[in-house]
Amino acid sequence: MHRHTRLALASATAVALTGGLLTFVASPATAADSTHVAMADFNGDGRGDVATSVTGAYVAGKAQAGQFVVLYGTSTGVSSAKRHTLSQDSPGVPGGAEAGDNFGYDHAYADFNGDGYDDVAVSAPYEDLGSDKDGGLLTILWGSASGLTGKGVTVPDPAPSSHDLWGKNLAAGDFDGDGRADLAVGSDQATLHIYKGGFTTAGTPGGRYTIKPPILGGEADGPVNLTAGDVNGGATDLVVDGYETTSQYGWNRNYFIPGSPSGLQASAAKSLKPGVITAIGDIDNDGFGDIVSGAQWDATLDDGTPIPDSAKGGKVWVTQGSATGPLTGSATGITQDTGNVPGGSESNDYFGYELDLGDVNGDGFLDLAIGVAGENLGSEADTGMVIVLYGTADGLNTASGAQSFHQNTTGVPGGNEDNDAFGLDVKLDDVTGDGKADLIVGSAEDKGDGAIVQLLSNGQKITTSGSRFISASTSGVSTAGTPYFGSNFAD
């Protein structure tokens, strides 16, 4: 879902969390989930579209120039047959493909210009601008009846001398409740820039202001991820994941920043349970968005130091929303040892590595897909799996009804192999237009080429009927190097 640094702690101790899973840096997942969970629809046909960054992609022989791929929903779901594969060498896309730009690093979708089609903000945070190394470039690509056409504009950096990695983190939502989409932009500093009132097709915003959450900034810190969603039934709120400033370790921590008629209010920030990837949506159908975060690391550092709010193999935290915001005192932790959650907690499972919410069975309660990218199965190490927990009036059901999928599950395309990391990213979106959320899974298939697997809802649960395997090569992505196609979905 967002840029996934794979590091959950600040610099002094972060290395202990890398484990044995993956050494690459995938992109963040920018969850735009609200109480009803918005899906991307770039061509306005009522079906969800799956957009993924491919930051490691070669373009015209240039390593890690980066691409952005959109697979459009159809009555049978997504495939390589109906897609757009874009880079900074594509006609109309600002800039030019250069080695190391990492175009597509993060993204956030919304109808920024109010024409009825979703647009997408896409960053290339390692773009060099003149003498400004890694200054970063941020682009908005416009949606249309034919999808993302490649036509776009840049969002200029208002403070290039104050930070690097412009656009490293992105989230879109109506933070002031005026009915127009706003855009939050992060960098390597703690300060966030908020563009309000949408954008004209020329790229002019309705205004801009800054907020500073209580996280570390500088030396490539700043926010790890940004997640937008309505927690309290008002304007869109923002959850900022970063490193806390109050302890010697700088542990990972999430902060709730409420929206208001005057925009995001950092002065009213609330500390939440940790987790690199976050999703926001109304699980129990009470009218308020719940906050789900994945703390995928183990419970201790290599030297035995305990990590707060963590568990062996990873932990998912659920914090209920209310009219006053998140009910921080009643957060619920879920592991693979909770109830009848499939599997069991083992070191470096990376349970909660990715998350997404959607209504698989149409009962009004949101369900949760959990990526367990480091799961070992049989003799295959880090082959990965995905778990689906179903929502009820009492929250997520961990006692019964859970599903799990891996590539040796009957009907799932492919097969379990070392380092596939199935569940590297997950989405629950309605890609067929039947009103039920389907499961989309990304992996590091074929030693980092990456792949996407589609598993459809039958109206009651996720099934393997209509499953598809979508490869990098059939989607217009060069398999030179390690592109990691499908490692970071726009949410």
Side-chain angles (χ1 to χ4, degrees):
M1 291 161 92
H2 280 243
R3 167 168 182 72
H4 218 306
T5 62
R6 194 107 307 102
L7 303 179
L9 306 183
S11 55
T13 53
V15 68
L17 292 188
T18 58
L21 179 58
L22 299 169
T23 56
F24 79 97
V25 177
S27 292
T30 317
D33 294 347
S34 67
T35 54
H36 300 293
V37 184
M39 67 181 184
D41 186 4
F42 301 115
N43 57 8
D45 66 355
R47 300 184 178 101
D49 304 322
V50 174
T52 181
S53 60
V54 198
T55 56
Y58 276 62
V59 177
K62 298 167 185 174
Q64 295 184 341
Q67 291 177 309
F68 186 73
V69 178
V70 181
L71 308 175
Y72 294 99
T74 71
S75 60
T76 57
V78 295
S79 71
S80 297
K82 187 177 181 181
R83 62 172 170 84
H84 279 128
T85 301
L86 302 171
S87 74
Q88 288 182 290
D89 278 354
S90 298
V93 177
E98 299 168 314
D101 278 353
N102 280 207
F103 177 70
Y105 186 92
D106 204 5
H107 23 62
Y109 62 79
D111 183 4
F112 291 116
N113 60 5
D115 67 353
Y117 301 100
D118 278 335
D119 315 301
V120 66
V122 182
S123 68
Y126 292 95
E127 177 102 17
D128 296 338
L129 299 173
S131 61
D132 186 7
K133 180 175 173 57
D134 296 339
L137 187 69
L138 177 57
T139 298
I140 295 179
L141 302 175
W142 304 116
S144 71
S146 55
L148 293 180
T149 61
K151 295 178 180 178
V153 295
T154 59
V155 180
D157 185 345
S161 63
S162 300
H163 53 240
D164 284 323
L165 309 183
W166 174 242
K168 177 174 77 79
N169 317 97
L170 302 170
D174 185 6
F175 303 123
D176 54 13
D178 68 353
R180 293 175 290 185
D182 309 316
L183 178 65
V185 183
S187 67
D188 65 349
Q189 299 296 314
T191 298
L192 303 178
H193 293 258
I194 315 299
Y195 290 87
K196 65 178 185 177
F199 290 83
T200 68
T201 53
T204 304
R208 183 180 63 85
Y209 61 96
T210 62
I211 62 171
K212 191 172 183 179
I215 60 171
L216 288 175
E219 298 183 0
D221 284 327
V224 177
N225 273 322
L226 305 176
T227 305
D230 181 9
V231 176
N232 58 15
T236 304
D237 310 305
L238 186 70
V239 171
V240 179
D241 175 56
Y243 305 127
E244 65 178 22
T245 60
T246 57
S247 75
Q248 63 173 327
Y249 288 102
W251 302 116
N252 178 273
R253 184 63 54 179
N254 283 341
Y255 294 91
F256 168 79
I257 312 293
S260 76
S262 56
L264 292 167
Q265 302 295 306
S267 61
K270 290 184 178 181
S271 177
L272 303 169
K273 296 295 187 181
V276 171
I277 296 300
T278 298
I280 301 174
D282 189 3
I283 296 170
D284 53 8
N285 199 21
D286 66 353
F288 303 106
D290 307 307
I291 301 170
V292 186
S293 294
Q296 82 273 10
W297 47 87
D298 286 326
T300 62
L301 300 179
D302 288 344
D303 65 3
T305 300
I307 302 172
D309 301 316
S310 305
K312 181 180 180 180
K315 192 169 192 173
V316 170
W317 286 102
V318 182
T319 303
Q320 282 188 291
S322 73
T324 58
L327 301 176
T328 56
S330 59
T332 300
I334 300 171
T335 72
Q336 283 184 282
D337 287 341
T338 300
N340 288 311
V341 174
S345 295
E346 301 165 315
S347 296
N348 295 320
D349 273 351
Y350 287 76
F351 178 77
Y353 189 85
E354 281 293 346
L355 304 165
D356 202 27
L357 290 164
D359 190 353
V360 172
N361 51 21
D363 63 357
F365 304 106
L366 293 187
D367 312 308
L368 177 67
I370 304 172
V372 195
E375 184 82 18
N376 298 337
L377 295 169
S379 62
E380 281 74 40
D382 297 334
T383 190
M385 68 185 295
V386 175
I387 292 170
V388 179
L389 302 179
Y390 286 84
T392 72
D394 297 319
L396 293 170
N397 184 356
T398 58
S400 63
Q403 295 182 277
S404 64
F405 299 93
H406 50 82
Q407 287 186 285
N408 278 358
T409 301
T410 302
V412 175
N416 291 345
E417 300 169 312
D418 287 349
N419 301 313
D420 270 356
F422 188 73
L424 190 59
D425 205 350
V426 294
K427 280 184 69 65
L428 282 177
D429 272 359
D430 176 17
V431 295
T432 64
D434 66 355
K436 311 296 191 303
D438 308 298
L439 177 61
I440 307 296
V441 181
S443 74
E445 188 83 18
D446 292 331
K447 299 181 180 180
D449 287 353
I452 293 173
V453 167
Q454 166 183 284
L455 301 173
L456 299 180
S457 168
N458 67 358
Q460 299 298 320
K461 61 182 181 180
I462 297 297
T463 71
T464 59
S465 177
S467 63
R468 283 180 180 160
F469 181 93
I470 304 165
S471 70
S473 59
T474 62
S475 301
V477 174
S478 169
T479 55
T482 51
Y484 288 109
F485 171 70
S487 66
N488 177 27
F489 298 135
D491 294 309

